[in-house]
Structures are given as structure tokens and as C-alpha cells.
Amino acid sequence: MSTVEEKSQEVTEEQPDDATPVDPPEPPPATEAEPKGGILPAFLIGIVASLIVGWVVFPQLLYSKKRQPVDFNHAIHVREVGNDCAGCHYFREDGTFSGIPKLDKCVECHAEPIGISREEADFIEKYVATGTEVPWYVYAKQPPCVFFSHAAHIKMGHMECATCHGDIGESEHARVYQENRITGYSRDIWGHNISGYTRHTWESMKMADCARCHQKENVHQSSVQTKKGACFVCHK
Amino acid sequence: MKVGRRRFLAFGIGGAVGTALTPLPWKLMDDISIWTQNWPWTPVPPKGVVSHVNSVCTLCPGRCGITVRKVGDRVVKIEGTKGHPVNDGGICLLGLSGPQFLYGPSRVRSPLKRVGKRGEGRWEAISWEQAVSEVAKRMGELRAKAEPHTVGCLLPEDRGSVAQLFARLLTVYGSPNVMRRPSIEDTYEMALYQTHGIIGRPGFDLQKTTFLLSFGSGYLQGWGSPVHMFRAHSHLLSNSCRVVQVEPRLSISAAKADRWMAVKPGTEAALALGLCHVIVKESLYDKAFVDKHCQGFDAWTDEQGQKQPGFKELVLGNFTPATTAEITGLKQADIIELARNFAKASRPLAICGRGNGSVPGTLGEFMAVYALNALVGSVGRSGGVLALPEAEYLQWPAPEMDEVAAKGMQQQRLDGAGGDKYPLARYRTSYLAALLKGGGYPLKMLLVAGENPVYDLPGSTELKKALADIPFLVSFSSFMDETAAMADLVLPNHIYLERLEDVPPVFGLPKPLLQLCRPVTAPQFDTRHTGDVIIQIARALGGGVAAAFPWPDYESCLKQVLGGHFARLHKDGYLEGRVPELRFETASGRFEFINTEYKAKPAYTPVIPQGDKGVFPLVLTGYDSMRLAGGAVADSPFMVKSVDDTVLKKGDVLVEVNPHTAGQQGLAEGDAVVLATPAGRARVRVHLSHRVPPGMVAMPRGLGHTAYDPFIGGKGVNFNELIAPVPDPVSGLDAAWGIRASLTKV
Ligand code: SF4
């Protein structure tokens, strides 16, 4: 006989005689009694675990880490080439911005190895000798839906490069490029602090960052639809 | 410790609360939204070096300067060239759509030979060598049979090197049948010749005009050079110029004018003469100009010693305000007031040619408008109408004609233009359907380049049947248009963005302007420049024909015939000419109100629309819009999308009907009806509108393509299927402003 039947027997026996006979009650679940207590700790564990996941594990998973193809030394180039950033990142005659230099710009100086470092030899062998463009990872690359003009910011807005790009010009090694596995864009866009908190203008490059400055500088704050910044300034 | 359900739930809730306190959900949401915007199939411009190339848009006769933005080799955007004398940075919807034509699915990708029945759409791709030799073989056979004149050629232009290469080919081959579609440019040319004795075209100095009187010209609907007219209109507004539009329908041009004079359809010339009447009668005309420069104002004696009535008598006798009011349906007081205001303006200008100018109109009307300009002294002065003589900018070596060619060239032209009946006309292509059926002789071969007659000529239903009877039809179209679809051979040309070609002067500009269309990108498909193909056909024909084409290719030919112009054109893209001094080369050496030689004169020639009033109680008329391309080039997919749903709705075209007329016919908004005319019938829908007067049905031109691709074709009805040409008795050109029509509910 099962336990259940025994229990039901007991109950029946305890009933007063005059009691109307009733059907045996639903048997309780066959599991052990639910342990009482321990709910708060479980709750707290849940919180702590998710905080760890959200703040520590998630960023690790979200971004892959890639090394630049060449360990580029900005500091030395600024010193040697001169003319600050514009030595390599200049405006063409027609006002367009040259962006990241193409190989032929590098070759102007690096036709032959300069110095004896392993990196230099690799660079010459892999790219200069074969005429292959260096597939740089671009920290500041924006999605194609964003129209960005360097001329408008530097020439017309008289902004400094560092306002958006920080002190990259002083770096001696290429930073690790962290690529968002979902979007394919650099971690620099959102900012390295996963909370999105920034202290300096160059620490993130999201739309809100552009908008903040556009609002402050009153750049086309004239959209008929939104009564705010005109969307078409950046989204053509 | 056992986990248990409650603890598990507590852990889960804790997890959820904790997660909400991390950036994870917000960051994920943000990333996912960016991810969704960057799916690989979302169209984005390619990466690459951005460059700009200047050229000319030749999608319509407007010939705007364009600046093409490229990323790498890909054309991504076309803009108007800033500072360009035609359009100064402006562009129209059609011009903007260039990339859709360049990369669109209706391009013909290689030479094609018909293998199925005519028009069935079954083709075999062939090599260029085979294509050229098949054309040459056919032409050779006809020439051997001494029938070279049975080969015709249909072009959009007769100026420019490619058109002249075709003309040269047909001349040395022995056929006079080079044709192009006439337009108001032809009538203006005739009127200029009759009044000034100059062969050329008028230029309009709109920048300085202070009163623009337009007799039905759609100055914001594609008349003249469309974007140039938009620019000119802005100037007119900033000069506080008064604009008066004379037109039966409230078109965009009428709506934008200061005053709309709703005349009865087809009576614009009567109003022009009525205005002349008031101006003469009240002595408001420019006496100094008339005395010094004009002939035929007063009565005169001709060479035979016969007394001829002058223009003064003509208008004073016939066009009193009362008569004019009766003809035009306007009020007498309005006519008088308009005449006074026009004459008293400092630099008034009258223009004519209805809509976008594709229907030539009557010579009498154009001469009446010229006379009106002359009366107020607006001929040859700033703000008025200028005479720009035809500049022969291409220097061709004289070809040698053999016997067959000379004999062939003596044949009458099939269209009778320039013959005894219509000595003034150069081309009468609007009647092609009738000519092919009942002309002097049958056409055995037709070369069509840059034109799409099956769509674009009036009476296109009939024309389609007539073309089907031509034994050999060759199309040089870059697109699978309605004519190419019927052809035996298609020899696709490069489109304008891929080719080098001179661009002849633009109609209506105040200065002569020669331009050069330069390739902005490499040919996308196995197409070939028609200029090269003509030279190759000539070579294959051999003998005297080949001898007239000594060039190895089109480019060297162009360089030779452009001579010194080539280098400058290549550098700057265009060359502006000078405005010549005011001069007249008529027999009298003056501006002739009535031509002393031909006796052509300003006149109101009522053009009666075809059809029986009993069967067709209404009148159908076409209208033009900048959102639709009414010409040989089809509307782009982009343009089709821009059309209002009161014009095109779910593939049905809507025709405008006055609510009063609709009431009489028992029609309501959106009703499906059969619109029938003597030329054809079509299913359309009704749109009630006060823009049109009672009794009129107005339909947009430019819809109803049946070929091309699903983005262009199958939308609405082609107006040309429903209209038929009506000749002006003097010029012989098509002057139909409408056709009788009926609406029957289905
Ligand atoms: S008006 Fe004509 S020439 Fe000018 S951009 Fe439009 S289609 Fe091209």
C-alpha cells in the first residue's frame, strides 16, 4: 500500500463518527515538503549573479579583441612627419578629408625600412612590397546611415581633432580594437565604460554625443517635425 | 540545500532586478537596433573614393549641366552643376533619376536579334559584328534593287554629330527619309524665319522681363528647358514680374501665375490678336520700333503691284474686344485691361506653345504672338525675344554621291515635308502612321535611334500596326522600350552617362550654348556608341558609302568635325556664344508682320478636334507635369512614385472631369470609365476637379508604358493612344490641342 492510502486512512479515522462521510480529499503532491526560508538569499544571489553577468561577463562576451595589423606609433609619426595630425590626415584641395592614409602615403617615407624593428620589417614585407593596403580597424567608424563631414567640423566649426579622437596622437602603440559582435562597430563608439558614462567628449561617439554638441552650438536646431535638431544634418 | 520552486523564483526575480541594474538590456537593445539597420541587403552606397564628374543630362531637350557624384566607379547621385548657364545647380526628377536608368533592369545588355514573332519578346543575343553586318546586308540589298529611298531613319534631333552621321549615311546611301519629331521649336523656327528672315531659334531673355504673358506655355511643366524655366521663374518673382497665364485648364503654371485667364480651348491666338487690336487702337504700341524696324504694319503693295492689307487693318477689322470676348469666352473688360497692362509694362514678353511644347501648334498663332511682342518693342531687346541664328558648329567634309545615291535623294520625302504642299515644314513625323500606310511608297526598313515612336507619337495604336508592317525595324535604344520591343534588331547605344557626344544648343536660352556630354562611367554592358555603329555600317556597305566615312571611330570623327571647339569643350564642358545684334534678313530687311514672300501672317486658325460631336460629346486634352516624362525617355521608377493618387492610383490613370460634366454623365469620383476617342479607347478612372472647364477631360501625358520593366511599365494609359494629329493648313505640322471623347461607365 502506498503512503498516500495510509494517510487518507488516518484522516478518515480521525473524523468524528457523526460526520458525514466525504470523499477522500485530493492527495497532496508526492514531493517532499517545500523547504521554508532561503528565499531572500536566493533573491540576493540572483541579484549579485546578474550584476556580475551584466557588468563583468557581458562586456567580455560582447566584444571580440583584435590587434591592429601593424602596431602603429602615432607619437613618433607626429614628431617625425610634423604638422600635427594634418601631416597624414589632411584636407584635399577640393575640401574633402583624406581620412586614414592610403599605402602610397606611407610609402613616401617607408619605401625602405626605417630602423630595424621586427614590426617595420613585417610592414615592409607584407604591405609595401606587395602593394597591399593595410586593413586598419577604424575605431571611429560610424554606420553608413550617418553622414559625417570632417570639413564641417574642423574647417567651419574650428574644432580640435582631440575633441572627438582624444589623445590618440600621443599613443606609442596601437590599442587593441574591440569589435562589438552584434553590430560590428568599435567599442569606442559606445565608450569603454559599459554604463555609457563618460567624462570627456572623446570617450564615446554615439548620436547623443553629437546631438549634445549640436544643441550647444545651435547647429540647425530647426526640424519642423521634431522641433529639435534637424535629423537631416547627419542622416541624409 | 535543495533549490526548490520558490527559491528558484526568488533567484529569477533577483536576477531580473539585478539585470535591470546593469547596462545589459539597454546596451543589447541599442546594439540590436544598430544590427537591424545594417543588414547586408540594406542598400548603402559602396565604399570608395568620392569623386565628381561634370557632364550634360540629355534625358530631355533641357540639356542641364550635371555633376555626378561617384563612389569608386559607382554613380550614386546626380546633381545640377552650380553656375551652369542652363540650370545653375537645379535638376528635375527625371535628371535626378539617371542612376536608375544606368543600372535599371530595362537596359538592353547586348545586341539582340528577334527570334519569336514581332513584339513577342523572344530574343537571341548576337555579336556586334553580326549585328552590323545584318544591317549592312539589308541596306545593301535594297540599294542593289535601286530602292535606297525606302530606308528611313527616325531621330530625336537633327543637329549634333550623331544625327548628322545618320543623315550623312542616308544621303550617300540614297534616302531623303531622315525624320525627327517636330515640336514648338519647329513652329518657332518658322515664325522666326517669316518675321526675321533668319534661320534659327528664338531666345527668351527672361531674367529681365517685367511682364510675362504665356499663351498656354507650361513654363513650370517642361516648356523650353525645364529646369532653366524654374530658375527663370524664380528670377521673375524676385524682379516682381507679373505673370499671366492664358490656358483653359488650371495647370501648375496657371496656378503659380498672378492671373489665370481661362480661355476656351484652342483660342489663344484669337486673344493674342485681340490684345494687338486694343494696343493698336489705343496707340499703346512702340511707335519708334514699329516705324524703324517693321514692315507690313500698314497696307503695302507687293512685287506684283497688288495692294495688301497691313497688320493694323487685320487686327482692327477682325479682333475687336467684343469679337475676341466671344471667341475666347473672356470678358471684354479683362481683355482690354490685359492689353493695357502688357503694353505699359517696361519689358513685357509673350511666349506660346502649349504645355511642354511637344505639339507644334499653328504658325498663325506663333506669328500672332511674335506680332504682339513686336508691337510692344520686345523683339531683340533685353527682357524680350531674341533671334539666335542656327550655328553650324560641325564642319563636315562634303561627301561624294554616286549615281544610286543621287537618284534616291531625288525622291519625294515620305512625309511630304518641304514639298509643294508644305514648303515650310522640315518634318511631318507626327503623321507617321498615315504616311506608312498611304504614303507615296512603302518603307522597307526603319532605323530608330533615340526615339520611341510607338509610345511617343500621336495615334500610337495605329502607328504600332503600321510599324509592324515594315519588313525590317532596327532600334538603337539603350532600353527595351515599346519600339525596341517590336524591332527585328536592337543595337543598344551607351546611355548618356557612358558616352562622349556633342550636345547642340538648348531651345529658349538667351544665348547659344554648345555642350559636350562626357562619359562619367565605363559602359555597364556590351553596348556600343551609335556613332561608332553608323561608321561601321557605312564601312560594311563599302564603295561610295564607306568612302564618306573615313574615320576609324566616332571619337576621331567628333574631334575632326568639332575642330577647334573640341579642346575647349573637353576642358570646360560648354561654350557660350554671343547674342547677335538685332537684324532682319527678310526681303524688306525689316521685321515683317506679314511675310512678303510667303504671305504667312498672324492668324487665328481654329483647330477643330477630330471626332463627331454626337458620338463624342466631350473633348480630351493632355497635360504635362514635371513628375512625369512625356517624351521618348520613360518616367523613372522614382518619378512614378512621386505622382499623386489623384493622377495614378493602383495602376489606373485618373482623368480630370469637371463636377458639372460628371453630374450630367452620372459619374462620381473614382468611377471606372471607358474613355473613347476616334483614335482609341482605354479604361480610366474619373477624378472630379474644377481645374478643367465643363465639357473637358484632361489626362496626363507620360503614363501607360507597356515595355521597359515592372517599375516603369503597366502604370496607367498612354495619352498618345487616344489622340490623333490635326494639321495646321499653313505649316502642315500637328496642331491638335485635343480630340473629341466620350466617357462610359463600366
Ligand atoms: S530638365 Fe531635362 S535635361 Fe534637365 S535634368 Fe531634367 S531631364 Fe535632364
Side-chain angles (χ1 to χ4, degrees):
Chain A
M1 268 276 171
S2 74
T3 326
V4 179
E5 279 176 351
E6 280 169 15
K7 270 191 181 169
S8 60
Q9 193 63 37
E10 272 172 30
V11 172
T12 321
E13 280 169 9
E14 275 173 20
Q15 275 184 343
D17 290 347
D18 58 343
T20 331
V22 289
D23 293 336
E26 272 297 296
T31 50
E32 283 176 31
E34 177 76 7
K36 299 217 171 76
I39 289 175
L40 189 65
F43 178 73
L44 291 177
I45 291 169
I47 289 191
V48 172
S50 61
L51 287 177
I52 293 170
V53 169
W55 287 97
V56 184
V57 182
F58 169 60
Q60 299 289 330
L61 290 176
L62 184 62
Y63 296 106
S64 66
K65 295 192 172 59
K66 293 178 172 168
R67 284 173 55 89
Q68 290 283 8
V70 176
D71 183 19
F72 189 82
N73 183 336
H74 265 98
I76 203 167
H77 283 86
V78 171
R79 253 194 334 267
E80 297 294 326
V81 179
N83 204 8
D84 278 346
C85 311
C88 296
H89 310 287
Y90 52 89
F91 287 94
R92 300 193 193 95
E93 260 176 36
D94 64 357
T96 55
F97 186 63
S98 61
I100 293 179
K102 291 265 177 271
L103 187 68
D104 51 7
K105 182 79 191 162
C106 309
V107 172
E108 282 177 18
C109 303
H110 290 268
E112 296 295 327
I114 305 177
I116 47 157
S117 74
R118 182 75 231 139
E119 274 291 317
E120 176 79 13
D122 277 355
F123 170 65
I124 300 288
E125 187 188 319
K126 229 167 136 183
Y127 301 107
V128 179
T130 60
T132 314
E133 289 292 341
V134 186
W136 298 109
Y137 294 111
V138 186
Y139 303 108
K141 192 173 115 187
Q142 294 280 348
C145 59
V146 185
F147 173 84
F148 180 86
S149 158
H150 274 94
H153 291 84
I154 307 293
K155 294 221 156 163
M156 291 158 70
H158 304 293
M159 286 172 69
E160 295 292 331
C161 306
T163 311
C164 301
H165 295 288
D167 57 3
I168 187 143
E170 292 160 25
S171 66
E172 295 192 343
H173 294 280
R175 274 195 289 121
V176 170
Y177 175 84
Q178 299 194 38
E179 188 179 278
N180 187 312
R181 293 185 207 266
I182 300 175
T183 66
Y185 290 98
S186 159
R187 185 168 185 169
D188 290 41
I189 304 299
W190 174 268
H192 281 258
N193 188 327
I194 196 72
S195 73
Y197 171 76
T198 55
R199 273 178 306 162
H200 301 290
T201 46
W202 58 81
E203 285 174 2
S204 67
M205 290 181 166
K206 291 286 291 176
M207 188 174 90
D209 301 302
C210 305
R212 196 177 308 121
C213 192
H214 280 191
Q215 246 156 21
K216 204 171 99 215
E217 300 294 330
N218 200 17
V219 182
H220 293 291
Q221 297 297 305
S222 56
S223 168
V224 182
Q225 284 84 16
T226 62
K227 306 271 187 295
K228 282 197 256 164
C231 313
F232 282 152
V233 175
C234 310
H235 302 294
K236 301 279 180 192
Chain B
M1 191 173 91
K2 291 255 165 66
V3 174
R5 189 167 60 110
R6 290 184 198 169
R7 284 190 193 138
F8 182 76
L9 276 178
F11 176 78
I13 293 169
V17 171
T19 304
L21 295 174
T22 72
L24 187 144
W26 329 116
K27 176 78 175 119
L28 265 185
M29 224 181 316
D30 187 78
D31 284 350
I32 289 171
S33 71
I34 294 174
W35 173 67
T36 59
Q37 287 169 34
N38 290 290
W39 280 327
W41 56 86
T42 312
V44 283
K47 284 200 181 51
V49 179
V50 174
S51 60
H52 292 88
V53 188
N54 285 350
S55 187
V56 188
C57 175
T58 55
L59 288 175
C60 89
R63 293 158 192 171
C64 298
I66 50 171
T67 300
V68 181
R69 190 176 128 92
K70 287 171 66 182
V71 175
D73 271 341
R74 181 94 185 174
V75 171
V76 293
K77 174 124 195 249
I78 298 183
E79 291 169 347
T81 305
K82 293 211 173 67
H84 191 277
V86 174
N87 52 325
D88 186 18
I91 194 156
C92 78
L93 286 186
L94 181 60
L96 205 56
S97 313
Q100 293 195 324
F101 289 115
L102 178 61
Y103 301 117
S106 52
R107 292 275 317 255
V108 180
R109 292 162 182 245
S110 73
L112 296 178
K113 184 181 174 169
R114 171 167 73 87
V115 287
K117 284 207 225 58
R118 196 182 278 275
E120 196 187 8
R122 285 179 50 220
W123 304 96
E124 178 196 343
I126 56 171
S127 71
W128 274 104
E129 287 62 39
Q130 187 184 345
V132 167
S133 80
E134 292 217 6
V135 176
K137 189 169 143 250
R138 278 284 182 145
M139 287 180 77
E141 284 166 9
L142 289 171
R143 197 169 144 90
K145 281 196 252 167
E147 290 180 339
H149 60 284
T150 60
V151 176
C153 172
L154 185 57
L155 309 167
E157 234 321 333
D158 53 6
R159 300 169 304 167
S161 59
V162 170
Q164 293 186 359
L165 274 174
F166 265 118
R168 188 177 176 88
L169 175 67
L170 260 67
T171 305
V172 293
Y173 171 77
S175 169
N177 287 313
V178 177
M179 292 174 274
R180 79 161 159 72
R181 190 200 159 136
S183 70
I184 59 164
E185 290 188 40
D186 292 67
T187 326
Y188 255 123
E189 186 186 339
M190 278 181 207
L192 184 72
Y193 185 71
Q194 297 300 316
T195 53
H196 290 59
I198 290 174
I199 297 177
R201 315 227 167 164
F204 304 98
D205 190 17
L206 287 159
Q207 301 239 350
K208 303 200 190 76
T209 305
T210 57
F211 192 119
L212 180 67
L213 175 55
S214 149
F215 289 92
S217 305
Y219 61 90
L220 294 178
Q221 294 157 267
W223 184 93
S225 175
V227 180
H228 178 73
M229 290 307 294
F230 269 78
R231 285 276 177 249
H233 183 242
S234 311
H235 272 287
L236 295 178
L237 294 185
S238 54
N239 288 352
S240 319
C241 168
R242 237 184 118 65
V243 181
V244 174
Q245 178 76 356
V246 178
E247 192 177 0
R249 176 179 172 271
L250 181 63
S251 65
I252 296 286
S253 306
K256 293 269 182 186
D258 296 288
R259 179 115 201 235
W260 168 42
M261 309 278 281
V263 290
K264 287 189 201 159
T267 63
E268 289 87 346
L271 177 63
L273 293 168
L275 298 176
C276 290
H277 174 104
V278 179
I279 292 171
V280 173
K281 180 128 186 255
E282 300 190 0
S283 283
L284 297 172
Y285 63 94
D286 185 338
K287 288 188 198 63
F289 181 83
V290 172
D291 290 347
K292 188 163 171 222
H293 293 295
C294 299
Q295 159 73 25
F297 183 67
D298 295 302
W300 47 288
T301 316
D302 69 10
E303 281 171 3
Q304 285 85 42
Q306 285 193 342
K307 208 144 164 55
Q308 297 284 350
F311 178 66
K312 189 170 161 185
E313 266 180 87
L314 187 125
V315 290
L316 289 185
N318 299 315
F319 293 94
T320 62
T323 334
T324 312
E326 166 125 22
I327 301 173
T328 60
L330 298 173
K331 290 200 194 94
Q332 284 194 48
D334 288 345
I335 297 170
I336 296 170
E337 189 201 329
L338 176 61
R340 287 178 186 158
N341 289 341
F342 184 72
K344 285 178 187 163
S346 57
R347 286 186 299 275
L349 170 66
I351 58 173
C352 61
R354 292 185 186 87
N356 69 3
S358 53
V359 180
T362 66
L363 178 59
E365 176 177 340
F366 282 62
M367 288 190 70
V369 172
Y370 250 111
L372 185 58
N373 281 321
L375 275 188
V376 294
S378 283
V379 165
R381 78 158 172 212
S382 75
V385 52
L386 314 168
L388 309 179
E390 187 72 67
E392 265 316 328
Y393 63 91
L394 298 174
Q395 301 304 324
W396 296 94
E400 273 190 37
M401 311 271 291
D402 63 15
E403 206 183 314
V404 188
K407 240 173 136 183
M409 285 303 285
Q410 276 163 14
Q411 292 276 346
Q412 263 276 4
R413 282 176 62 90
L414 190 66
D415 65 1
D420 298 338
K421 196 159 174 210
Y422 299 116
L424 300 178
R426 280 178 192 259
Y427 306 98
R428 295 184 65 249
T429 316
S430 320
Y431 309 95
L432 196 59
L435 294 168
L436 287 175
K437 287 198 163 158
Y441 45 84
L443 215 52
K444 300 206 170 145
M445 179 168 179
L446 182 64
L447 312 172
V448 181
E451 255 301 352
N452 182 10
V454 174
Y455 176 83
D456 196 29
L457 287 181
S460 57
T461 318
E462 280 303 303
L463 183 62
K464 197 170 170 185
K465 288 187 209 146
L467 280 182
D469 292 339
I470 295 183
F472 201 61
L473 183 61
V474 183
S475 165
F476 291 80
S477 177
S478 309
F479 308 100
M480 190 45 81
D481 59 28
E482 287 79 4
T483 310
M486 286 185 61
D488 295 279
L489 272 185
V490 187
L491 276 54
N493 194 1
H494 301 327
I495 80 160
Y496 70 112
L497 296 170
E498 301 162 329
R499 70 178 189 244
L500 180 77
E501 199 167 315
D502 55 316
V503 181
V506 189
F507 171 71
L509 249 60
K511 278 185 193 169
L513 181 76
L514 178 60
Q515 303 188 76
L516 189 68
C517 179
R518 288 164 291 180
V520 302
T521 183
Q524 301 295 307
F525 305 110
D526 184 18
T527 53
R528 200 173 269 192
H529 198 302
T530 296
D532 280 320
V533 179
I534 302 168
I535 294 175
Q536 285 155 11
I537 291 173
R539 290 267 189 79
L541 276 164
V545 179
F549 292 81
W551 309 279
D553 55 24
Y554 170 72
E555 192 170 333
S556 43
C557 164
L558 182 68
K559 280 185 187 154
Q560 189 194 333
V561 295
L562 272 173
H565 295 324
F566 184 83
R568 285 187 59 198
L569 278 173
H570 206 264
K571 187 165 149 274
D572 303 332
Y574 61 84
L575 264 177
E576 267 184 297
R578 278 182 302 114
V579 182
E581 299 276 294
L582 176 66
R583 70 196 158 88
F584 302 103
E585 292 176 7
T586 48
S588 61
R590 291 167 150 241
F591 178 93
E592 297 191 342
F593 279 102
I594 297 167
N595 188 281
T596 38
E597 217 177 321
Y598 291 95
K599 309 283 185 295
K601 60 182 176 216
Y604 164 53
T605 328
V607 176
I608 314 294
Q610 261 196 41
D612 178 354
K613 211 169 174 174
V615 187
F616 302 107
L618 308 170
V619 175
L620 170 71
T621 183
Y623 69 87
D624 302 299
S625 151
M626 287 302 286
R627 299 197 195 171
L628 292 171
V633 174
D635 321 307
S636 62
F638 174 51
M639 292 170 89
V640 175
K641 287 280 170 217
S642 79
V643 175
D644 281 355
D645 67 356
T646 53
V647 175
L648 179 70
K649 199 172 190 176
K650 292 199 180 133
D652 280 339
V653 62
L654 287 100
V655 296
E656 292 175 357
V657 181
N658 188 287
H660 178 74
T661 312
Q664 285 174 340
Q665 309 254 331
L667 299 174
E669 176 73 30
D671 275 356
V673 289
V674 168
L675 171 58
T677 72
R681 48 199 292 124
R683 188 182 171 280
V684 300
R685 283 183 187 278
V686 169
H687 171 53
L688 302 189
S689 170
H690 286 284
R691 281 170 175 265
V692 287
M696 185 186 257
V697 180
M699 181 172 166
R701 288 197 191 93
L703 288 170
H705 280 281
T706 51
Y708 288 93
D709 53 56
F711 309 107
I712 297 174
K715 321 229 177 269
V717 173
N718 179 6
F719 176 74
N720 286 320
E721 286 172 13
L722 299 171
I723 187 90
V726 178
D728 169 29
V730 184
S731 69
L733 300 184
D734 177 19
W737 52 266
I739 188 162
R740 298 221 71 95
S742 67
L743 294 175
T744 326
K745 210 162 161 177
V746 290

